[in-house]
Amino acid sequence: MSSNFFGLPREIRDQIYELVLLHQEPIDPWVDYNRPQKLNPELLRANMTVHREAGSTFYGQNRFDFTMGTPEDVASFLGQIGRNNADYIRHIHIDFSMFHHLDAGNVTLEDKSVEILANIQSSCTNLSTLTTSRYSTFAMELMLDALDNPKVATEALKLADTHFRAFSSLHEIIVEVYEDRPSDHIRREMESHGWTISTAEYVEEEDFDRSFSDFGSDDYGSDSGHYDIDNDSDFWRRIRNKRLAKLGSQAPSTSAPNGEDRSEGVSTAQSPQPSSPPVPDQKEQITPRIHISNSTSSSRASENPFTRLGAKPPLGDSRNNVTPSSGMERPAEERSAPEQSRPSSTAAEILPEWEDKVLRGIFRISLDPFANTDGHGHHLHDVPSVRADLEDQGQPIRLSTSTLDQAILEVASASSNMVPLKYLLRCWKRVTGQLKHSKSHKAEERKLDILKEARRICMSYCIFAITMPEMFGREPTDTSPLIPHLLVDPDNDEGICHDFLTEAVSRFPEDDNIEPALVKAVEDLSRELAKKTMNDDYKSYVLALRHLVRYPPLVKAIAQSSLFVPLSTSAADLEATTLLGPFFAISPLQADITTQYFSSPKTRDRAFITNSQQALRMTLTTHQHDLLDIVNHIIKSDKTARDRMLDWFATCVNKNHKRRALQVDKKLVSSDGFMINVAVCLDQLCEPFMDATFSKVDRIDIEYLRRQPRIDIKDETKLNMDQHAAEKFYEESVGGTNNFISEVFFLTLAAHHYGTEATNQTMSQLEKDLKRMEKHIEEIELDRHKWINNPAQLNMFDTAVKKYKDQIDKGISYKYAVQGVLLDEQMQARSIQFVRYVAVWLLRLVSRSQFPKQPLKLPLDSDPSNFFGALPEYFLEAVVGAYRFVMRNMPWTISSTQSDELIILCITFLRNSEKIKNPYLKSGLVTILFAGIWPAPNRPKGVLGDLLMGLPIATEHLLHALMKFYIEVENTGAHTQFYDKFNIRYEIFQIIKCIWDNRVYRENLDRESKANVDFFVRFVNLLLNDVTFVLDESLTAFQQIHNLSQELQNPQHIEQTARQEKEEALSAAKGKAKSYMQLTNETVAMLKLFTEALADAFTMPEIVQRLADMLDYNVDALVGPKSSELKVENPQEYDFQPKALLSEILDVYLNLRSKESFILAVARDGRSYKPANFQKATAIFQVRAKGLKSPQELQAWTELGRKIQKAKEADDQAEEDLGEVPEEFLDPLVYTLMTDPVILPTSKTTIDRSTIRSHLLSDPNDPFNRSPLRIEDVIPDTALKAQIEAFKAEKRGASLARANIMDTTPG
């Protein structure tokens, strides 16, 4: 069978496995399914190869029904199928957890339910679906409904959900219910926990004798007809027992000989029984014979429940179980040579014979030169030297523990083909299995002693084979001989099993060679794995280490290895030279793996890429779980090992500071895959203390950073402290010891910064590089025609282009792989859970409050200790980066509770922006809010929009915080600050537009604008600057596009060089128009909103004239003589809608039409104000854009035009009346008559107050000598003001007198 079957392609074999091993219904391990029409699990026992190949199909694709199992049954089943098989299980059916107490504030689950869940959680580490049985859910519903207490029902279901969610791998919880169940309240609660409700029509199950309604009082032990379900915790357990009994009665069974029951399908081997057994002579003592047979117990207690399921081969060889058989002869097929007649007159003579037979069977040794095999066909090893010695000494030719040493040594040294350790491990499995199946009562003590001694001798020689191969005539090797045995399943005959390691570890104190031998084996495992990738057989190495770290003394020894945390190693070498490095290096981001997952990436459709990414994630998730299991066992073994484990994590982050450099040299740092695995593992280590109530947040000790911390923050930029001050701050060391929670918390923060966030940074840069490379390859291809007539040069050209394209493909493949890793919802959910904890911890620290138990009060008070300012920037940057990534890529993973805290974090640090020095870090907070309002499925205002509309801290502080940062971002200190501010302000505009409909925001804004005038004037000034700039840039770009397009209509009349220059200029103008027009639309929209809400701020003396000039200029550009120059082809390409833009600008006029200062300012605009423009605008909206303005708005616009024209005439007359103004009365900057002259303190220059206020809004220096200046420092020039007033009075009097003289109308 083996050669024919395994000659088939693997795909065919897998189909065979599926046909034979998959079952439509869930498999109950305790009910016989070994029937031809249902299931054929015996295939798994064909051989180890079939078992290994088909195990994942059987366990991974079938569903398992644990509803009929006790905690002991479940633990036994999962323990006996082995960890590897349990890891395959994806879907389990269980009974809904039973409630022990159902009192308000005291809801608990029954211990048995908790135990079953705990057993599943500890063994089935990749479980994805949990289904609760319909009848148990129904019983739970009845119990909760009978309480008539929704609060308790809610608490009960929440408790059940908490236990379900303890499964980190769980993706779906399915609750089976009947069609008319559950009640509305319970259904809502189930759905709120994300459970999937599976409904079926209610029918009487044939497993029950009666339906629920038919149960009488006898069923509940009550004499009355009034049953109180609240006081009966055994309600559905009795129902379950009835179903169990019913199923049990239906299970087919046969009666074995001698009255023993055997379940159908269980293989048993019975010794031949004589038809008429002879009656022994009463004087002759019957000698019980011991034979090796397939022994099967018929009782349920001793039955292995999964032998029928083909779970795995039992430990050792089942054919070597030793069972007594009184008066039975050995079966003929078990005899390979005639046996010598042995005396059987006394019990003392029986024991040596038994010892000889058992030891021969265990060690496969023959003292008969003619017996080469036993009755089962196993090869026997001849030991002539032992036989000769026994003959020389006149001893019986029998094997005993006294001759076992010599026999083992002779067998293991006999041939060069013999592998001593391989032989001895097989012997170990047999002797260990023999001991386990032997009875321990007093009559068997001597036999047990023999077996124990044989076991001891076997272990000793195993150790010799590992540490002293010379004893067997073998040369020592560089690699530990344990390696091939560690890489196979522990239950394999040649594997290193639990019993072997337990015995080996127990000998550490007495044998100094064992510990270093095992440590060397682990080191060699690590070295070999360093040469492998995820495409190779890495899994066996990981499973081997998982197996080894379950022994605390061995873990302690491994942690002391020089490879565990080498004294000096580079970041790039961590993955290969540290003991754990190769295990964490396994990743789909390794070299050549990405190109295999995403080969020919440009030719692949979205479905292929998505499927590949899902496969990649599943593989990586399983591996990361293995890593966590390894780390957990190391940490829990003892304090020394735990500290070494933390040291290793610290080394990983401390050596990789360069991963956050602007230009990263990948040869000098650890890989992305390695650092992501480190971060994910640390995230999971934090899960136990990150509860929803933040009960352990106080355990995170800020003094950790001044108490010899493992993380190195010396060179990190601090949140609000320069390097010198930070060094002085951290020089003050504090005493005490750091707790484990603090250690892991700060290590995880660093891992996020240098791991996942650094990978995000790499991804962003990679995408930019790929775009640049794609553009470059297009430019190169344009030169292909130059070599078309030169085959040699063309070949070189094509080779170079192909090489460049291969690099692009490689980059795209890597991008897809990184996306596949980072877009893992489970990974990102853990990440958000952690940074949420960081956010709360930072808020508690900066506010010195008990947040979230106590609400924050903004603005914050100053902190004399400045602990917050001394923190590294990346403490907040990790929070911002994680939320920003999730908001942009998978916002649905963020819960409403997390959203509340996120909003509070952003508002707090934008409202108190002085707490953070880096403006780009603060801009990240704006970006989070901006991403949070992006429309999402079923969320038109995004994840955060609805919360922003109603959260009290938002309605009170958000607008002020955004406006404050709008002002601050004017000067970021970077060389790109001019362009950066527009990107940041664009995001601010979008947030403001989202919340503007809420009247509470506008009322708070109006109230604050009157109390904080200077703040609002500065904001208005900058908004006005932006509107002026972007409007001018946009309209200028359209004029350039129009003019250049006209010139290029006849390219034949233009020289080639000039034409090329004009085409490049046209392309640049188009790009400029696209970028600035979007900003123009948003900025003008903001101007419209704020002029409507804050009209007084926009009509302050220092603002109003600039605003009027800007509005008039742009109206003239849109409707004046040069408006035709704005016409371009495809204006929608630039989002340019001239009429809509004009409408928005007119709205600004109308918002301020009641302000006399604004009307006068427009009238005084001598450059752009033209009454004709008002008339043209009216005509446009009356004829060509009727829908944009209502008749009422047009009437108001016409009335405003008349008011402005009248004001213009009055102002012109007043200026004419003044005549020539003395120069000393004129403002030195704008040359207008001063109304409130002030003296600047340093330059002693006199200037109008409104002019210097306007100047200081943009420049905090004296315009005449550049000295620092504040408006509070100016000195009123009262004398000059009096002279100006006198001059104006004199001129007005003269004008009035002239008017009277000219008035000749008869009185």
Side-chain angles (χ1 to χ4, degrees), residues 646-665:
L646 295 176
D647 288 341
W648 185 81
F649 280 128
T651 301
C652 293
V653 295
N654 291 335
K655 294 282 186 180
N656 276 290
H657 284 204
K658 290 183 179 179
R659 278 178 57 83
R660 295 314 304 266
L662 292 177
Q663 297 293 331
V664 181
D665 185 348

Side-chain angles (χ1 to χ4, degrees), residues 598-870:
F598 305 98
S599 58
S600 304
K602 288 185 179 180
T603 65
R604 302 298 185 178
D605 58 18
R606 189 68 248 176
F608 175 88
I609 294 169
T610 301
N611 291 336
S612 297
Q613 288 175 334
Q614 289 175 346
L616 173 154
R617 277 195 289 270
M618 289 179 62
T619 304
L620 181 60
T621 299
T622 302
H623 178 60
Q624 288 171 343
H625 172 78
D626 291 338
L627 295 178
L628 176 65
D629 186 66
I630 291 168
V631 170
N632 260 328
H633 277 90
I634 294 174
I635 286 174
K636 293 176 181 178
S637 58
D638 82 328
K639 185 179 184 305
T640 302
R642 184 186 72 189
D643 288 343
R644 294 281 285 173
M645 189 71 249
L646 295 176
D647 288 341
W648 185 81
F649 280 128
T651 301
C652 293
V653 295
N654 291 335
K655 294 282 186 180
N656 276 290
H657 284 204
K658 290 183 179 179
R659 278 178 57 83
R660 295 314 304 266
L662 292 177
Q663 297 293 331
V664 181
D665 185 348
K666 290 188 175 292
K667 296 178 181 178
L668 301 179
V669 296
S670 299
S671 68
D672 291 329
F674 174 81
M675 291 303 294
I676 286 175
N677 285 340
V678 169
V680 168
C681 186
L682 284 167
D683 268 340
Q684 293 177 91
L685 286 180
C686 292
E687 283 185 323
F689 65 80
M690 292 192 302
D691 59 317
T693 62
F694 301 95
S695 61
K696 294 178 180 168
V697 70
D698 288 330
R699 298 289 307 280
I700 303 170
D701 188 1
I702 183 60
E703 294 290 2
Y704 167 87
L705 298 171
R706 299 202 291 184
R707 193 186 292 123
Q708 297 180 335
R710 281 186 164 87
I711 60 171
D712 180 10
I713 62 171
K714 181 180 179 181
D715 296 327
E716 292 294 338
T717 305
K718 306 305 184 289
L719 281 169
N720 198 15
M721 192 177 285
D722 60 40
Q723 188 66 22
H724 177 73
E727 289 177 0
K728 186 176 180 180
F729 180 85
Y730 287 111
E731 280 176 1
E732 302 176 16
S733 181
V734 297
T737 57
N738 292 320
N739 60 62
F740 180 72
I741 288 179
S742 297
E743 293 275 14
V744 176
F745 177 81
F746 289 107
L747 282 170
T748 307
L749 251 177
H752 271 253
H753 180 61
Y754 301 114
T756 49
E757 291 306 312
T759 304
N760 286 340
Q761 175 182 292
T762 300
M763 268 296 300
S764 299
Q765 186 59 48
L766 176 60
E767 289 178 343
K768 294 176 183 177
D769 291 342
L770 287 173
K771 288 181 181 178
R772 177 182 52 80
M773 294 172 73
E774 292 279 10
K775 186 176 180 180
H776 185 54
I777 203 71
E778 290 175 4
E779 294 172 353
I780 292 175
E781 291 281 12
L782 294 176
D783 292 334
R784 181 182 177 80
H785 67 278
K786 296 179 180 179
W787 322 108
I788 199 69
N789 296 320
N790 189 332
Q793 291 291 335
L794 183 61
N795 184 56
M796 293 175 61
F797 176 86
D798 289 340
T799 302
V801 169
K802 183 181 182 303
K803 185 176 181 181
Y804 202 77
K805 287 182 176 179
D806 288 345
Q807 285 296 108
I808 293 176
D809 283 353
K810 189 175 180 181
I812 295 173
S813 297
Y814 189 77
K815 181 184 77 170
Y816 288 151
V818 174
Q819 288 174 345
V821 171
L822 294 181
L823 295 179
D824 181 348
E825 289 190 18
Q826 189 176 356
M827 168 188 162
Q828 292 300 337
R830 278 195 297 262
S831 175
I832 289 298
Q833 183 184 11
F834 173 74
V835 296
R836 175 195 179 200
Y837 222 76
V838 177
V840 169
W841 180 75
L842 288 173
L843 289 170
R844 290 167 67 95
L845 181 64
V846 75
S847 65
R848 291 175 295 162
S849 70
Q850 294 299 308
F851 178 80
K853 294 179 181 178
Q854 299 174 354
L856 289 181
K857 294 181 180 180
L858 300 181
L860 299 173
D861 297 329
S862 60
D863 180 9
S865 65
N866 201 19
F867 260 120
F868 179 81

